């Protein structure tokens, strides 16, 4: 049975080649899995950081809007006071000359 020995050798070689391929494929999948796992951790960390940044920016926006509203209110108060002074100053003149007519 010399033919039998050659046949067994071919089967052994084929199985060895397949085992080598599967071993390489397993190592490749392990590397890919590690990369994906690292990416997942990094992504959830980035997502958390983004959510914190959004909250921070929203708080800054609310503060800026409040400050702007306060400034607009102060400006309107000053404008009205100036108008009132002009009207009162004009009311002291004959026929309201030089002042705004009410």
């Amino acid at each position: 049975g010399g033919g039998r020995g050659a046949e067994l050798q071919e089967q052994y070689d084929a199985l060895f080649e397949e085992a080598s391929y599967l071993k390489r494929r397993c190592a490749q999948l392990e590397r890919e899995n590690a990369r994906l796992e690292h990416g997942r951790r990094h992504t959830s960390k980035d997502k958390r950081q983004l959510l914190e940044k959004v909250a921070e920016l929203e708080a800054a926006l609310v503060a800026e809007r409040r400050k702007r509203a306060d400034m607009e209110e102060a400006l309107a108060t000053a404008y009205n006071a100036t108008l009132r002074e002009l009207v009162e100053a004009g009311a002291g003149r004959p026929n309201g000359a030089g002042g705004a007519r009410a």
Side-chain angles (χ1 to χ4, degrees), residues 1-13:
R4 181 80 178 128
E7 189 180 315
L8 286 174
Q9 185 64 45
E10 281 180 30
Q11 285 180 348
Y12 173 80
D13 290 346

Side-chain angles (χ1 to χ4, degrees), residues 16-32:
F16 185 79
E17 194 175 312
E18 187 177 352
S20 296
Y21 165 77
L22 291 174
K23 191 175 178 182
R24 287 192 309 273
R25 181 72 179 134
C26 185
Q28 178 185 0
L29 289 172
E30 285 174 348
R31 284 193 304 273
E32 187 175 342

Side-chain angles (χ1 to χ4, degrees), residues 2 33 65 86:
N33 189 44
R65 284 181 177 156
L86 288 173

